[in-house]
Amino acid sequence: MVVRIFSILIMLAMFDAAVSAAAKDTNTGIKKTSRPNIVFIFSDDHAVKSISAYGGPLAKVAPTPNIDRIANEGAVFVNSFCANSICGPSRATILTGKHSHINGFMRNGNNFDAKQWTVAKALQAGGYTTAVIGKWHLKSNPVGFDYWDILPGQGSYYNPVFIHMNGKRERVEGYATDVTTDKALAWLDKRDRNKPFFLMCQHKAPHRTFAPALRHLDAFDDVEIPEPPNLFDNYANRSRTLARNEMEIDRHFDWAYDAKVRKDERGDIKLPKPDRYGTPEYNRMTAAQKKRWDAHFGPRNQAFLKQYASGKMSHKDIVRWKYRRYMRNYLGTVKAVDENVGRVLKYLDDHDLSKNTIVIYCSDQGFFLGEHGWYDKRWMFEESFRMPFVIRWPGVIQPKSRPQELIQNIDYAPTFLDMAGLETPKAVQGRSLVPLMKGQNINWRKSLYYAYYELGEHAVPQHFGVRTMQHKLIYFPKTKEWNLFDLEKDPHEMTSVHDAPAYRETRAKLEAEFNRLRKNYDAPPFR
Ligand code: SGN
Ligand code: CA
């Protein structure tokens, strides 16, 4: 008898759950409960090499335990790429699921056409409550979000200004990565609990000028930072445009702005060029913040200046010193990003949200951490072309998965819609990653299209290309040059084999694939 009553109760409970799962939102007529929440934690210029879940030489030196937690409980997409390695265009592609030439945001400084379809609008119309907090960088105001609170333009690391959706600007004392997370968690507290949520929490870090939180200034003082094998690239055997770049640690890394050796610290010592930009982040700090900054950099800068003035540092020694200074600061900013990822995960745990919330960690593109002698991104070379994509989806993604497929940021919008049980419009160019997340054996793309349209910042020319699992073909219209890389034999992309007789067939195949993709994606002619 007791057993029967108990089983009837269970049946009733199941029936109740089924009814509520199927309950329709009165406004949209769309099923509402049981749909997963989506938290998209996004950073700016975060190279996969500096995420320990991706492995590599920095993993031991600078672990990212919280991003790794997402990876361990979910998946690392190991072959994830952007469509155009620059900030605004990557963000526009994520929102639209379309390549830059279709969504119209081809270069930084463009104005995002907010009238067009976006995944945020579709999720909002489909019954989600939506918010974006932090770096936006699309000029026009966010549309499709119930709530937004964004950094103007690039934003600042220290005591950042935020623009609220009511148009008001507010300067918040603190460190941007912490403040952005504070605001994201505050929104979660006050969100509409009748709806699943879509939250974009978007950090400025680790973008230039690589300014760490004060608590992390010393974090990498005692570790040996490994050097990339091509820190001293001579740019031979590839497009001649490489040698014209303006993003070298050697020739372009600014002494005050990037390397943090201020003019007023140098006494009579003259450092070589460049020294153009001053110290805008330092200038924003409060007196107390400056004191902590100076306590760290002051003695280290004096030691360096002394050594420099002694004349005993070779040219390479100086480049190596700048490289290490760069990496300590860059990794310092990553450390705060990782800690703040941990805060979001803890919030989800503490509020019983972890099970039904998908968490994604991602960044708008990669970054050069000394490879080819560079900082910055833009080039279709691996370090800047690769985009981290780490995801946890309890009950759907097998913990510790490492999907190998070639994915791209055009795929995110259809993925979010698929997660939410919503249709993707035909005009979207990407594909849902959900089948890959479920480990289904489906017919997947074998190549990716890349297009970079900027007009010369850091002296990187426009270029276009195709990447398969093993090869990469790049076309530079201005100089009419083609480069071809065999990524298996030459992972650091040091020698183009485009004109090597052994690659004749490969070259022809890649050229055909490049043209097929351009046609398929409706790409405009080169100019
Ligand atoms: C700024 C940086 C550049 C960087 C671009 C694009 N200079 O202009 O070094 O390449 O942003 O970055 S800075 O003096 O402002 O730091 S992006 O992430 O916005 O695309
Ligand atoms: Ca960026």
Side-chain angles (χ1 to χ4, degrees):
M1 187 63 183
V2 174
V3 173
R4 275 206 57 188
I5 290 174
F6 189 65
S7 58
I8 287 169
L9 278 175
I10 287 183
M11 273 170 65
L12 277 175
M14 281 168 65
F15 180 71
D16 194 46
V19 167
S20 74
K24 308 245 162 148
D25 183 306
T26 40
N27 296 325
T28 61
I30 292 165
K31 281 187 207 163
K32 59 175 192 185
T33 40
S34 80
R35 292 198 292 170
N37 307 306
I38 304 169
V39 176
F40 184 70
I41 310 176
F42 192 61
S43 59
D44 195 346
D45 295 1
H46 195 175
V48 293
K49 188 176 152 188
S50 51
I51 296 177
S52 40
Y54 276 91
L58 290 174
K60 274 213 185 81
V61 173
T64 50
N66 295 294
I67 301 173
D68 292 10
R69 179 181 164 197
I70 304 175
N72 287 330
E73 296 171 5
V76 177
F77 276 83
V78 292
N79 288 310
S80 163
F81 297 86
C82 60
N84 179 355
S85 181
I86 193 77
C87 184
S90 176
R91 290 155 201 262
T93 290
I94 289 171
L95 288 172
T96 60
K98 294 168 191 162
H99 279 281
S100 307
H101 61 273
I102 302 286
N103 67 46
F105 202 108
M106 294 161 84
R107 4 185 129 88
N108 271 347
N110 284 163
N111 190 35
F112 184 69
D113 170 13
K115 290 194 297 299
Q116 68 185 302
W117 180 93
T118 67
V119 68
K121 290 182 185 176
L123 287 168
Q124 191 183 45
Y128 272 65
T129 181
T130 57
V132 59
I133 289 151
K135 186 166 172 186
W136 174 249
H137 209 208
L138 291 172
K139 222 179 219 172
S140 61
N141 282 341
V143 176
F145 295 94
D146 297 322
Y147 182 83
W148 55 266
D149 198 356
I150 57 173
L151 298 168
Q154 295 283 7
S156 303
Y157 275 105
Y158 292 98
N159 313 322
V161 169
F162 277 78
I163 310 175
H164 298 290
M165 51 195 304
N166 62 11
K168 283 211 178 103
R169 284 175 180 241
E170 173 205 15
R171 181 181 185 273
V172 187
E173 193 168 318
Y175 184 65
T177 312
D178 302 333
V179 177
T180 301
T181 307
D182 293 345
K183 286 173 174 284
L185 300 184
W187 179 76
L188 284 177
D189 272 338
K190 66 178 182 212
R191 74 185 193 276
D192 176 354
R193 281 158 206 259
N194 296 314
K195 295 177 176 180
F197 59 83
F198 174 61
L199 167 63
M200 302 182 96
C201 173
Q202 311 204 139
H203 297 295
K204 172 183 172 65
H207 193 273
R208 199 178 185 194
T209 60
F210 327 113
L214 298 167
R215 64 181 180 282
H216 292 143
L217 289 175
D218 298 341
F220 299 98
D221 266 9
D222 301 325
V223 295
E224 195 62 49
I225 294 176
E227 210 174 277
N230 52 359
L231 179 62
F232 296 97
D233 193 341
N234 63 6
Y235 310 121
N237 306 317
R238 283 150 294 173
S239 161
R240 60 179 177 269
T241 61
L242 267 68
R244 299 183 195 148
N245 81 83
E246 291 175 7
M247 47 191 271
E248 280 169 35
I249 294 169
D250 180 2
R251 294 183 300 142
H252 311 100
F253 201 70
D254 214 71
W255 278 106
Y257 191 67
D258 294 312
K260 322 294 180 207
V261 186
R262 281 199 319 280
K263 277 200 177 130
D264 61 284
E265 293 176 285
R266 297 180 207 163
D268 299 334
I269 298 166
K270 294 244 169 322
L271 292 173
K273 282 179 181 172
D275 219 349
R276 288 175 289 193
Y277 304 119
T279 53
E281 285 293 350
Y282 183 79
N283 302 348
R284 303 183 57 80
M285 291 184 189
T286 63
Q289 289 169 337
K290 282 182 178 162
K291 213 173 147 201
R292 279 185 71 182
W293 177 275
D294 289 337
H296 171 80
F297 285 112
R300 287 164 183 78
N301 287 348
Q302 289 314 317
F304 163 70
L305 288 164
K306 199 173 150 200
Q307 214 189 346
Y308 178 83
S310 76
K312 286 189 194 128
M313 284 179 97
S314 69
H315 184 81
K316 282 192 169 176
D317 288 340
I318 297 169
V319 173
R320 291 199 160 104
W321 184 88
K322 283 201 272 185
Y323 164 72
R324 289 193 301 269
R325 174 58 65 93
Y326 164 38
M327 289 307 293
R328 293 204 160 98
N329 290 330
Y330 181 93
L331 296 171
T333 69
V334 168
K335 200 167 166 66
V337 170
D338 186 69
E339 281 179 4
N340 279 282
V341 167
R343 289 179 64 204
V344 174
L345 297 179
K346 181 165 186 320
Y347 181 99
L348 298 175
D349 287 343
D350 292 349
H351 294 77
D352 204 19
L353 286 166
S354 290
K355 249 185 156 165
N356 198 33
T357 300
I358 297 165
V359 181
I360 297 162
Y361 181 79
C362 169
S363 184
D364 60 350
Q365 7 67 208
F367 213 67
F368 294 100
L369 302 179
E371 301 88 0
H372 306 290
W374 290 337
Y375 62 95
D376 214 72
K377 53 268 182 175
R378 300 161 192 276
W379 299 92
M380 198 194 171
F381 293 116
E382 290 295 279
E383 295 79 5
S384 78
F385 187 23
R386 283 184 182 274
M387 227 172 136
F389 193 90
V390 183
I391 175 165
R392 179 180 83 178
W393 188 358
V396 176
I397 298 180
Q398 280 288 329
K400 293 196 161 61
S401 311
R402 291 181 80 83
Q404 302 293 312
E405 287 85 354
L406 295 169
I407 69 161
Q408 203 165 25
N409 48 352
I410 54 171
D411 299 325
Y412 303 179
T415 302
F416 298 158
L417 294 175
D418 199 359
M419 289 165 164
L422 297 167
E423 290 280 315
T424 293
K426 286 235 154 44
V428 166
Q429 298 185 308
R431 286 178 66 181
S432 169
L433 304 172
V434 172
L436 307 180
M437 293 172 184
K438 292 182 173 163
Q440 290 168 359
N441 195 1
I442 58 163
N443 189 11
W444 192 253
R445 71 165 73 88
K446 303 282 183 289
S447 67
L448 296 171
Y449 179 63
Y450 180 80
Y452 174 78
Y453 297 97
E454 297 263 325
L455 302 170
E457 205 182 348
H458 290 286
V460 180
Q462 292 195 351
H463 58 289
F464 304 83
V466 57
R467 189 200 193 277
T468 62
M469 275 297 190
Q470 198 191 333
H471 298 103
K472 185 184 291 178
L473 179 73
I474 312 179
Y475 179 56
F476 298 88
K478 202 165 166 206
T479 50
K480 298 198 163 52
E481 293 169 291
W482 293 86
N483 278 181
L484 194 161
F485 298 98
D486 184 333
L487 300 168
E488 251 163 46
K489 295 204 175 110
D490 179 21
H492 302 295
E493 299 165 297
M494 299 299 283
T495 304
S496 168
V497 290
H498 185 262
D499 301 327
Y503 285 86
R504 245 171 80 178
E505 221 172 286
T506 309
R507 186 174 77 206
K509 275 195 199 145
L510 284 166
E511 249 181 68
E513 184 59 5
F514 181 59
N515 292 327
R516 185 190 74 78
L517 288 174
R518 287 179 48 78
K519 206 164 155 221
N520 188 33
Y521 289 131
D522 212 6
F526 305 120
R527 285 191 304 133

